[in-house]
């Protein structure tokens, strides 16, 4: 036993274990919170993987009605849309239908949102087209487009599934709104530009090139416009006419809004049917000898599922795709989470983001079996589903049945669909994704820097690729975040006394505000009283962490050197004894008189209400600050902390020797030395230990604050205060005490001392 | 003019320009601050590039004395050290001397620190050896070691110079203390392990392999120990003996500390001289026929500068080095900045980090002319210089002269230096860089997570390379930083009333603390009073930015749903009319009675004293929160903000419709829609606009706070308050008014309403 206790004592000595430190929060405390009821949590986790079990048993006729209407509506809309979006992805139209079928069917098993509809979407399709084009450029003819697309679906599906299972969905939060809005706008411009040639029947240039090139070419090739344009432009015009017409009629006759809404909804299908019929009338007798039709039509769309089977994953293809997978995965999860959260909010329920990731992960991974390309939540169809009065996720089943009907029964009719009409559908749908001027302006109103990030995302997407656009905006946002961390605001505070007059009595209350408040903060006529001489009150407006650690040091030390009295009288120091970088007083300038005019520094009060975290670098910086200001003042300086609410910040400050009233000279001055120095002795000149005799004993505060017969603050840490008012009072109390005792013993350090107090 | 005003009006309409918004800070305000006096700033900048001009004219005899002592001392120490460190870098010893000469000479022209001594250092040398080994592995025999080393010096010197000229030195702050300490410790272990074979005369294995392999091999090859060990171990023993002896004697005879200090300082030179003499005695007649000596000695060290000339930079070599340059640059600037800052603090002056970067940048770039390899601030020699009483940067000139003397006069003597003795010098010097147990423990005390980062940096450096160690620790620190941003703490607050009894009167004061404070925060006996029913007071403890934007929403909405009354009576809703994910009340459970027990939500008071920044994502999240809680409460909810000090946060909140008292229904609900939806009408069911009739007009606050005859708060933004006390009072004032008016008109909404108030 003695051996054990000796070892323990030795270890404590080697580690520098503090013997009389006040109790602080420990890692054990934290770990105990984690393992509250592990069995219960595991059960909850497993249950949450299959949300369908919670509602399917309660399914009733009331729900069925809403689900049938919504499922049918989405089904009718998704068929033309999915074929169009496959065209964006440069895939044959049936792949869009496969995707739509799998998305609508499988999602409902795992969904925590009733509104979201999964299937092909515009931006994902654009990304797929860029991935196909990129792989094809690097490995010409090695893999077919559909194989590349399904491989992307499989691999990024598995990645998203993994993120969901590991409950890492919160990483989505690191993509801010301006970044998303920027690349969405850029992509939408890109898609619209890419479809204009199809709409007009132009050909002969690469529509997957950078957007600005496509736009230039659209104009250049305008003379090549073909008959397709008749179908395309008519279609586009009809689509907008129906939408605007129904909107206007709905507003005019509010009681008939619902029928007008459904007419508007079916405009895509309607326009396609009419144009296909027209194209059939026009083309059926005009086929050339080589089998060519006068306008571009879809021609044979294979009937039913042609590519059912276990997914064929080529390892080489996966490694060729590796560089593109992050972007595909980001788009997959980002759009879906954004949409499901937003509909949860609108309709007053709560989704589980991780479960949603599992849902799209499984959907895409399984989709590969049916030859589906990546599918994710579609905003327009989800809005439609929501507005059609969907009641449960089961509505998706009906939608998938309609897709099957289309796949098995309507493919002969699809033969005659003009591609220009599909382009019209795409342009009509995707143009809505472009951010409106109001929205761009509201970015500016909220935060001009974020507007710049948004603009950069748009421009980069338009001038290079969607991939670069996403990375640019995410990285720029992160850089802004770090810059915000590294350059926080801070204020030296002063007091404003408020007086409230009521019938019975007059109440006064102190509020601490910046010494020089901006006119937008408060009434400019109000005067702010600085704290008592010798006391500095500073408010740091951010967590105190390594990127901004040295800032607080610089600000405080500079302020003290500029405004507080230097303890050492420099007027007696010869020029040759001054530091090389101190030119000495200007001629005819009494350095000492000026110095003596300043108050002697007694206490620094730090308002830590903005500091919720602190780290080693920051604590070291605080220790350095203490050393530097004490060296300047040539006396011990009290450090008071107001509003330290976090037990971990408390722990860190106590480890750094703050809060308890231990004098700075008995605290190790290097809690986190970058380069420890252990060679040689401490030379006489460096770092004189002059504070020892002056260091105050841990003192009791003068202002007794009693409530409910118990002092509110903890005895062990008299320098931590609940709020800034008690912190400043405590600091001023010490000052008063000191001045009184120094006046009593008539050993005033300088004449200025008394006149100040 | 009418055309102009029409355009302006139209633009404003398209952008959704708010007509009656209160004035906010603008980008112009910010830009005006930037361009205060550009000419003056340019002059300052140019002047700051040549700090020597500020002190050289005042040079005097008083300074000369200190400079001579310090310059001489450093010169004597740098000669053996630089040759040893060249050995770490696997370069011939003369390269260390070149580096030492250039570093000491050129630095003094640009220095803002008198103490820092530049020259070869251990960790930089280790990095160089790893770079040489890496390049040699990829391009065998293509370039010589010295050429690689000088190219690294040139290119990273230019990079550092650029960083300094562009005033980007603050990026160094993004490398926190635990990361630096971790890789320093790992590198030191690596260096010591790599020198043990040299110390013992072991050979036959790669000393540049991963550290753990080197350590294993040191033991494996122990039987191969040669005569070198006699010299090496003797040297190492002597070095420690002198140091410990002088330390003890200095403590024993404090008045003679200075001579003992200098004896201790010259121990390296002394031991090398003695051992070289011994090796000369032993070896001179024992040379073998092939010219081999019985122990490993330096043999011919070329006299003078052998490689003076314009730098030969091979473009291919630079691109081969590209991947390694970041690490070399990081080490170059990191160590130097850390050292110069730390000596500035110790000796009470202020360095200019950017100018220091310029200094080492220029030193390394020019050094290439003399064949120098990368040099940076050496901690041990800087400490020596400081302790020897250096007065100005000019001391470096004398040190460089001593290096020249050694280069031209002592090279014949260097012939006989045993490499084992140099290994002893290295081990003796570098062992001090390993972090002490106290230091590691103090990381743990301040922040357990940072201790883990430190440990990871050490282990990765030991088991792989120093490069991986640096990257691991920097990335882990950044990840921790982002995690801290993304998962901030927050508290629902309650009130504690403090009473101060003085002779004349009794003062009371309200302090807001967490509703369930941790025992480490305050006396557990103190009871916290929750705010008035229907008022929620929440404090968010971090800047409100995109990584944590949805957190505040989740916390507030969940709290409101759990603790506040639902506006809509759900007891009358049939099961089939409930949402699919709401199982309805448990049998025998009166949902409505329980709901009515809860207070109706009136106001949410957000203490923003911890929020110094806000962005678009966060404002959108706040708008969503408002919408969701108003939907739950089925009435308008006031949002009060306390302590919004930043004009930019104010601007953003006003843009989001907060602060001014505008009802939420007249604010655009999507300030930052991820996916804007403009297709189709607004269906009747979604988002009912039920708040319109209830929305309160922007009201005057009841609590008249007058000070100096002027109301302190701004009229235009009655929902922004200077502190939490006035925010809660204002919220409670509204509550009181409402309840009074409802009581008067006897239209109480529910029985609970009155009993609460």
């Amino acid at each position: 036993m003695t051996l054990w206790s000796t070892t323990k004592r030795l270890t404590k000595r080697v580690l520098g274990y503090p013997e009389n430190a006040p109790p602080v929060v420990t890692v054990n405390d934290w770990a105990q919170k984690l393992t509250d009821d592990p069995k219960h949590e595991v059960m909850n986790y497993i249950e949450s993987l299959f949300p369908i079990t919670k509602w399917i048993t309660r399914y009733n006729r009331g729900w069925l009605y809403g689900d049938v209407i919504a499922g049918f509506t989405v089904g009718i809309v998704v068929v033309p849309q999915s074929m169009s979006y496959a065209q964006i992805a440069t895939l044959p139209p049936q792949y869009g239908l496969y995707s739509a079928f799998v998305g609508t069917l499988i999602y409902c098993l795992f969904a925590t949102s009733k509104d979201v509809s999964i299937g092909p979407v515009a931006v994902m399709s654009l990304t797929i087209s860029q991935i196909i084009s990129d792989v094809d450029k690097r490995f010409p003819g090695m893999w077919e487009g559909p194989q590349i697309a399904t491989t992307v679906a499989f691999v990024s599906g598995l990645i998203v599934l993994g993120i969901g299972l590991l409950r890492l969905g919160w990483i989505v939060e690191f993509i801010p709104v301006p970044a998303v809005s920027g690349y969405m706008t850029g992509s939408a411009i890109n898609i619209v530009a890419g479809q204009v040639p199809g709409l007009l029947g132009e050909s002969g240039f690469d529509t997957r090139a950078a957007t600005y090139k496509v736009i230039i070419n659209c104009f250049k090739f305008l003379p090549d416009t073909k008959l397709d344009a008749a179908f395309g432009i008519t279609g586009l015009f009809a689509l907008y006419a129906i939408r605007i017409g129904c909107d206007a009629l709905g507003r005019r006759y509010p009681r008939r809004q619902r029928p007008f809404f459904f007419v508007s909804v079916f405009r895509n299908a309607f326009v396609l049917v009419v144009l296909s019929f027209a194209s059939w009338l026009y083309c059926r007798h005009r086929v050339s000898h080589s089998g060519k039709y006068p306008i571009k039509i879809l021609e044979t769309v294979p009937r039913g599922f042609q590519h059912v089977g276990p997914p064929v994953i080529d390892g080489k293809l996966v490694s060729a795709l590796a560089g593109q997978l992050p972007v595909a995965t980001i788009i997959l999860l980002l759009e879906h989470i954004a949409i499901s959260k937003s509909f949860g909010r609108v309709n007053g329920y709560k989704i589980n983001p991780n479960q949603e990731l599992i849902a799209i992960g499984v959907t895409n991974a399984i989709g590969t079996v049916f030859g589906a390309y990546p599918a994710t939540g579609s905003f327009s169809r989800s809005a439609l589903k929501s507005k059609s009065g969907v009641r449960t996720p089961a509505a998706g089943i009906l939608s998938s049945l309609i897709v099957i009907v289309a796949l098995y029964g309507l493919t002969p009719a699809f033969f005659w669909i003009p591609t220009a009409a599909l382009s019209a559908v795409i342009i009509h749908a995707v143009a809505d994704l472009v951010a409106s001027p109001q929205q761009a302006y509201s970015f500016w109103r909220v935060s001009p820097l974020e507007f710049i990030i948004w603009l950069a995302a748009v421009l980069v997407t338009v001038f290079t690729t969607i991939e670069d656009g996403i990375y640019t905006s995410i990285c720029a946002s992160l850089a802004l975040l770090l810059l915000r961390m590294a350059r926080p605001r801070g204020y030296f505070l002063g007091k404003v006394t408020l007086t409230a007059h009521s019938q019975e009595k007059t109440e006064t209350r102190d509020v601490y505000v910046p010494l020089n408040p901006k006119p937008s903060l408060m009434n400019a006529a109000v005067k702010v009283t600085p704290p008592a001489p010798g006391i500095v009150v500073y408010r740091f407006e951010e967590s105190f962490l390594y990127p901004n650690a040295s800032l607080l040091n610089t600000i405080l030390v500079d302020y003290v050197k500029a405004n507080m009295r230097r303890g050492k009288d420099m007027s007696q120091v010869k020029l040759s004894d001054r530091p090389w970088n101190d030119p000495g007083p200007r001629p005819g300038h009494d350095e000492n008189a000026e110095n003596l005019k300043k108050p002697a520094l007694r206490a620094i009060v730090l308002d830590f209400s903005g500091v919720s975290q602190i780290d080693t670098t920051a604590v070291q910086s605080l220790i350095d600050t203490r050393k530097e200001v004490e060296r300047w003042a040539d006396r011990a300086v009290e450090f008071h902390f107001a509003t330290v609410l976090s037990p971990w910040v408390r722990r860190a400050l106590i480890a750094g020797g703050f809060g308890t009233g231990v004098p700075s000279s008995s605290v190790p001055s290097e809690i986190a030395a970058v380069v420890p120095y252990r060679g040689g002795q401490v030379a006489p000149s460096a770092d004189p230990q002059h504070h020892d005799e002056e260091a105050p004993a841990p003192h009791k505060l003068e202002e007794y604050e009693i409530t409910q017969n118990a002092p509110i603050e903890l005895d062990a840490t008299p320098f931590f205060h609940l709020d800034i008012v008690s912190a400043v009072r405590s600091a001023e109390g010490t000052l008063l005490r000191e001045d009184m005792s120094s006046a009593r013993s008539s050993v005033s350090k300088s004449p200025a001392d008394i006149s100040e107090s």
Side-chain angles (χ1 to χ4, degrees), chain A:
Chain A
M1 281 310 278
T2 37
L3 181 71
W4 168 240
S5 65
T6 312
T7 320
K8 214 169 152 185
R9 220 184 49 236
L10 267 178
T11 314
K12 281 186 174 181
R13 214 173 129 193
V14 168
L15 292 179
Y17 186 85
E19 283 303 339
N20 296 315
V24 289
V25 66
T26 65
V27 175
N28 271 346
D29 298 346
W30 174 81
Q32 268 166 8
K33 265 194 299 182
L34 278 192
T35 51
D36 233 15
D37 185 358
K39 200 181 150 195
H40 185 72
E41 272 177 28
V42 169
M43 285 308 298
N44 267 354
Y45 175 75
I46 291 172
E47 212 181 54
S48 77
L49 296 182
F50 303 98
I52 193 173
T53 54
K54 287 198 190 143
W55 55 266
I56 196 70
T57 49
R58 284 183 287 118
Y59 204 89
N60 55 55
R61 215 184 292 169
W63 291 354
L64 187 64
Y65 175 75
D67 282 351
V68 165
I69 304 269
F72 181 77
T73 312
V74 171
I76 298 292
V77 171
V78 78
V79 170
Q81 270 199 351
S82 60
M83 290 196 292
S84 327
Y85 290 162
Q87 181 168 321
I88 299 178
T90 60
L91 294 172
Q94 63 269 27
Y95 285 93
L97 293 171
Y98 303 159
S99 236
F101 165 73
V102 176
T104 45
L105 183 66
I106 295 178
Y107 174 69
C108 79
L109 302 175
F110 300 95
T112 64
S113 162
K114 68 179 172 65
D115 298 296
V116 172
S117 172
I118 293 210
V121 297
V123 178
M124 190 77 230
S125 303
L126 175 66
T127 312
I128 293 295
S129 90
Q130 291 189 345
I131 291 177
I132 292 173
S133 131
D134 175 80
V135 170
D136 206 49
K137 210 175 284 162
R138 287 186 295 140
F139 306 89
M142 196 141 167
W143 296 286
E144 292 287 312
Q147 195 189 345
I148 297 172
T150 51
T151 306
V152 172
F154 188 75
V155 180
S156 36
L158 287 186
I159 295 173
V160 171
L161 178 62
I163 293 174
L165 287 173
L166 293 173
R167 295 292 187 252
L168 296 177
W170 51 267
I171 53 170
V172 182
E173 317 264 319
F174 280 98
I175 309 176
V177 165
V180 179
S181 172
Y183 88 73
M184 289 286 252
T185 299
S187 307
I189 295 171
N190 189 325
I191 294 170
V192 170
Q195 293 301 324
V196 169
L199 188 81
L200 302 178
E202 295 174 353
S203 58
F205 58 92
D206 180 13
T207 56
R208 291 188 295 195
T211 314
Y212 74 104
K213 283 189 200 153
V214 176
I215 295 175
I216 292 168
N217 278 327
C218 283
F219 284 102
K220 224 188 246 170
F221 283 76
L222 219 47
D224 291 10
T225 303
K226 300 211 183 61
L227 186 60
D228 298 78
F231 287 82
I233 290 173
T234 311
L236 193 60
F237 179 79
L239 287 168
Y240 275 107
I242 297 175
R243 180 169 115 182
I244 295 168
C246 287
D247 267 17
L249 286 169
R251 267 198 296 278
R252 185 78 194 277
Y253 308 103
R255 318 226 21 199
R256 302 227 181 109
Q257 250 184 7
R258 212 161 162 82
F260 289 126
F261 166 70
F262 282 106
V263 169
S264 178
V265 159
F266 294 130
R267 64 188 182 276
N268 281 329
F270 174 75
V271 166
L272 277 193
V273 167
V274 170
L275 288 179
S276 305
F277 187 68
S279 111
W280 174 72
L281 286 178
Y282 181 76
C283 296
R284 67 192 156 142
H285 301 307
R286 287 195 173 79
V287 59
S288 72
H289 290 294
S290 58
K292 278 197 121 186
Y293 292 92
I295 62 166
K296 251 184 113 185
I297 55 176
L298 283 191
E299 307 191 18
T300 313
V301 176
R303 187 167 168 272
F305 291 102
Q306 300 284 320
H307 301 274
V308 177
V312 185
I313 302 304
D314 182 344
K316 259 190 218 156
L317 176 54
V318 173
S319 61
L321 285 171
Q324 317 263 5
L325 283 175
V327 152
T329 310
I330 288 174
I331 293 176
L332 205 61
L333 52 86
L334 185 62
E335 229 183 313
H336 183 80
I337 295 282
I339 290 167
S340 51
K341 275 195 178 174
S342 119
F343 282 98
R345 267 201 297 273
V346 169
N347 293 325
Y349 58 86
K350 199 175 169 180
I351 62 136
N352 175 347
N354 288 307
Q355 178 58 27
E356 287 296 315
L357 291 183
I358 292 172
I360 40 167
V362 171
T363 304
N364 279 292
I366 292 186
T368 320
V369 174
F370 296 89
Y373 83 97
T376 184
S378 150
F379 191 85
S380 62
R381 292 196 299 277
S382 302
L384 193 61
K385 206 170 157 190
S386 167
K387 287 181 189 168
S388 313
V390 68
R391 302 301 306 275
T392 75
I397 297 171
L398 183 63
S399 309
S400 69
L401 287 180
I402 290 177
V403 176
I404 287 206
V405 169
L407 254 180
Y408 281 89
L410 296 180
T411 42
F414 292 162
F415 187 96
W416 301 101
I417 296 179
T419 51
L422 286 185
S423 293
V425 169
I426 293 172
I427 292 172
H428 177 65
V430 171
D432 287 342
L433 295 181
V434 177
S436 67
Q438 280 107 316
Q439 198 181 337
Y441 180 61
S442 71
F443 288 140
W444 177 265
R445 279 175 66 205
V446 173
S447 167
L449 286 172
E450 285 186 291
F451 171 77
I452 293 168
I453 289 175
W454 174 82
L455 196 65
V458 174
L459 293 180
V460 172
T461 308
V462 166
F463 282 91
T464 63
T465 63
I466 178 172
E467 195 183 351
D468 291 347
I470 290 181
Y471 288 145
T472 307
S473 55
I474 292 179
C475 292
S477 302
L478 198 62
L480 177 61
L481 186 72
L482 293 178
L483 205 70
R484 282 182 149 144
M485 273 252 92
R487 289 284 166 269
R489 265 176 289 272
Y491 303 99
F492 288 95
L493 301 183
K495 196 163 64 175
V496 169
T497 304
L498 304 181
T499 317
H501 301 282
S502 64
Q503 290 99 320
E504 293 134 46
K505 52 175 183 176
T506 303
E507 258 187 28
T508 62
R509 189 158 65 80
D510 292 347
V511 174
Y512 282 81
V513 295
L515 274 178
N516 304 305
K518 302 223 167 55
S520 67
L521 176 65
M522 48 182 263
N523 198 317
V526 175
K527 277 240 171 142
V528 181
T529 322
I535 293 181
V536 175
V537 184
Y538 185 71
R539 177 182 159 75
F540 191 68
E541 289 241 286
E542 192 66 69
S543 278
F544 190 27
L545 298 171
Y546 68 88
N548 56 39
S550 68
L551 192 69
L552 181 69
N553 174 280
T554 311
I555 291 174
L556 278 182
V557 172
D558 286 357
Y559 184 86
V560 165
K561 288 190 176 172
N563 298 299
M564 296 289 150
R565 189 191 306 161
R566 186 172 193 158
K568 201 171 152 194
D569 182 0
M570 288 299 283
S571 59
Q572 308 308 322
V573 178
K574 274 190 298 180
L575 190 68
S576 68
D577 285 340
R578 284 176 180 264
W580 89 111
N581 55 1
D582 172 7
R586 275 170 285 147
H589 184 85
D590 188 350
E591 202 180 12
N592 199 38
E594 201 151 278
N595 188 31
L596 284 178
K597 268 187 218 151
K598 297 176 185 168
L601 178 65
R602 307 300 179 88
I604 292 181
V605 179
L606 293 172
D607 180 359
F608 259 35
S609 58
V611 176
S612 74
Q613 317 238 21
I614 199 167
D615 68 4
T616 313
T617 315
V619 171
Q620 178 63 50
S621 166
L622 216 49
I623 293 174
D624 293 339
T625 308
R626 186 172 178 173
K627 256 170 59 185
E628 284 178 75
V629 298
E630 291 192 338
R631 165 186 285 276
W632 176 264
D634 205 23
R635 51 166 296 168
V637 174
E638 289 183 356
F639 274 71
H640 293 264
F641 295 87
T643 331
V644 178
L645 292 182
S646 151
W648 291 96
V649 172
R650 221 179 167 73
R651 174 186 162 121
L653 287 175
I654 289 175
F658 292 97
T660 54
V662 172
S664 68
S665 53
S666 64
V667 170
S669 66
E670 297 271 330
I671 199 157
V674 169
V675 192
Y677 181 74
R678 295 203 280 287
Q681 307 125 300
V682 175
S685 70
D687 197 23
Q689 304 286 314
H690 56 84
H691 314 309
D692 268 53
E693 61 279 16
E694 281 193 62
H699 66 168
K700 293 258 177 272
L701 298 183
E702 285 299 84
E703 186 205 16
Y704 282 86
E705 285 174 348
I706 311 279
T707 177
Q708 300 158 7
N709 298 324
I712 188 166
E713 280 163 351
L714 296 171
D715 286 342
T717 49
F719 290 93
F720 290 150
H721 307 278
L722 275 182
D723 72 346
I724 182 78
V725 176
S726 36
V728 176
R729 282 200 190 158
S730 160
E732 285 175 347
T734 314
L735 181 66
L736 198 69
R737 237 181 16 261
E738 264 182 32
D739 285 348
M740 275 165 65
S741 69
S742 70
R744 230 175 283 138
S745 60
S746 2
V747 188
S748 131
K749 284 196 171 174
S750 79
D753 242 326
I754 292 167
S755 64
E756 273 158 14
S757 56

